[in-house]
C-alpha cells in the first residue's frame, strides 16, 4: 500500500495520527480541568462518568489510541532516519518552515513523551507507582474511586510535580512544531497562511502547557488540597 511504503505516505500517516492524538490531548486537558470544580462532583465525578461507559467503548477507544501512537512513533523514527540519510523530503507543498530547536529535536522529544506517557499510565491509570494512594483503594464519600485524593497526594511530592512540569515543557516543544508540520504535510498551508499557522501552533502548544502544568502547580503551592 503506497500510503505506508512512500515517504510522503508515511508523513501523511504521521500527520493524521498526530492530529488525532492532539485532539485526545485537548479532551484529556478539559477532563483534567474538572479538578478546579467547574463540573459538579469535580474530578471524581468525571472519572466515574468515564468508567461508567460500556467496556467495549472504553477498550475500543484505548486500542485505537494505542494504534495511532504506534503508527506515529514507528513512522516518526523511519522518517527521521530517511531525512538524516539524505533521502527524499517531498511535502505536499514546498517547505516554508525554518529550522528551529523544536523541529531539530522532534524525534527526541517524541521519545521522551513516550517515556512520560508510560510513567503517567503506571502512576494514575494502573496506580502501581504509589499503591498507598491508589484511587481504587480509597473510595470517596459516594463510594467512587478517589481520583482527586490520588492526584493531590501525587503532586504534593516535589519531585513528581517537577517531573510532570519538565514533561510538559517537552510536550510544548513537540507540539509547537508538530502541529504546523502536520498541516504542512497535508498541504493545508501556503506562504500567506504559514506565519499565522506558526503562531497558532505555538499558541495552542502554550495553552496546553499552562493547562497541564496548572494542576501540579496549584497542588504544590496548596491552592488545591
Amino acid at each position: 500500500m503506497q500510503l505506508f511504503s512512500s515517504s510522503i505516505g508515511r508523513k501523511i500517516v504521521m500527520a493524521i495520527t498526530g492530529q488525532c492524538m492532539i485532539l485526545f490531548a485537548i479532551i484529556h486537558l478539559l477532563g483534567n480541568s474538572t479538578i478546579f470544580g467547574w463540573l459538579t462532583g469535580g474530578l471524581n465525578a468525571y472519572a466515574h462518568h468515564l468508567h461508567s461507559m460500556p467496556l467495549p467503548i472504553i477498550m475500543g477507544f484505548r486500542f485505537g489510541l494505542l494504534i495511532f501512537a504506534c503508527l506515529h512513533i514507528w513512522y516518526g523514527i523511519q522518517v527521521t532516519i530517511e531525512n538524516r540519510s539524505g533521502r527524499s523530503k517531498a511535502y505536499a507543498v514546498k517547505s516554508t518552515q525554518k529550522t528551529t530547536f523544536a523541529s531539530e529535536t522532534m524525534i527526541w522529544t517524541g521519545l521522551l513523551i513516550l517515556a512520560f506517557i508510560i510513567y503517567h499510565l503506571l502512576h494514575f491509570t494502573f496506580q502501581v507507582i504509589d499503591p498507598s494512594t491508589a484511587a481504587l483503594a480509597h473510595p470517596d464519600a459516594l463510594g467512587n474511586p478517589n481520583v482527586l485524593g490520588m492526584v493531590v497526594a501525587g503532586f504534593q511530592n516535589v519531585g513528581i510535580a517537577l517531573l510532570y512540569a519538565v514533561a510538559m515543557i517537552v510536550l510544548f516543544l513537540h507540539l509547537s512544531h508538530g502541529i504546523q508540520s502536520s498541516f504542512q504535510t497535508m498541504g493545508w498551508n501556503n506562504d500567506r497562511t504559514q506565519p499565522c499557522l506558526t503562531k497558532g501552533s505555538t499558541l495552542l502548544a502554550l495553552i496546553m502547557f499552562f493547562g497541564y502544568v496548572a494542576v501540579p502547580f496549584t497542588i504544590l503551592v496548596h491552592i488545591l488540597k
Side-chain angles (χ1 to χ4, degrees):
M1 189 174 182
Q2 191 171 7
L3 182 64
F4 296 99
S5 60
S6 68
S7 177
I8 186 60
R10 287 190 283 271
K11 289 175 181 176
I12 289 174
V13 172
M14 281 185 62
I16 294 173
T17 53
Q19 290 171 353
C20 289
M21 288 190 290
I22 290 169
L23 180 60
F24 167 77
I26 293 172
I27 295 172
H28 188 52
L29 175 59
L30 291 174
N32 286 357
S33 69
T34 60
I35 198 170
F36 297 109
W38 61 266
L39 178 70
T40 302
L43 186 62
N44 285 356
Y46 168 70
H48 176 68
H49 174 73
L50 284 183
H51 288 91
S52 297
M53 297 175 71
L55 185 60
I57 293 179
I58 296 174
M59 295 308 296
F61 181 79
R62 288 178 174 177
F63 184 72
L65 201 57
L66 178 63
I67 295 295
F68 286 153
C70 289
L71 287 173
H72 192 78
I73 295 166
W74 177 251
Y75 288 118
I77 293 172
Q78 282 198 13
V79 168
T80 299
I81 293 174
E82 288 173 3
N83 286 345
R84 293 184 178 180
S85 298
R87 295 182 181 176
S88 172
K89 302 178 188 176
Y91 278 87
V93 296
K94 183 180 179 180
S95 174
T96 56
Q97 289 182 294
K98 297 178 181 178
T99 299
T100 63
F101 178 75
S103 66
E104 288 293 302
T105 56
M106 285 294 283
I107 185 65
W108 301 114
T109 53
L111 292 174
L112 286 172
I113 292 169
L114 172 62
F116 168 73
I117 289 174
I118 293 172
Y119 175 82
H120 182 60
L121 290 173
L122 293 174
H123 192 189
F124 288 144
T125 300
F126 299 109
Q127 303 175 18
V128 297
I129 296 294
D130 185 5
S132 65
T133 63
L136 294 172
H138 300 87
D140 62 13
L142 298 176
N144 299 320
N146 189 1
V147 179
L148 174 62
M150 176 179 65
V151 172
V152 169
F155 289 142
Q156 284 176 339
N157 183 309
V158 176
I160 292 176
L162 286 176
L163 173 65
Y164 272 76
V166 171
M168 292 308 102
I169 293 174
V170 175
L171 180 65
F172 164 76
L173 288 172
H174 199 78
L175 292 183
S176 63
H177 176 75
I179 294 172
Q180 59 177 302
S181 179
S182 70
F183 276 73
Q184 183 182 20
T185 298
M186 301 300 291
W188 295 342
N189 70 323
N190 54 44
D191 291 343
R192 184 172 59 84
T193 60
Q194 183 61 40
C196 292
L197 182 59
T198 300
K199 292 178 182 177
S201 299
T202 302
L203 179 61
L204 178 57
L206 202 58
I207 290 172
M208 295 180 70
F209 166 76
F210 282 115
Y212 275 115
V213 164
V215 176
F217 175 76
T218 52
I219 291 174
L220 196 60
V221 298
H222 304 293
I223 295 175
L224 273 178
K225 300 178 181 178

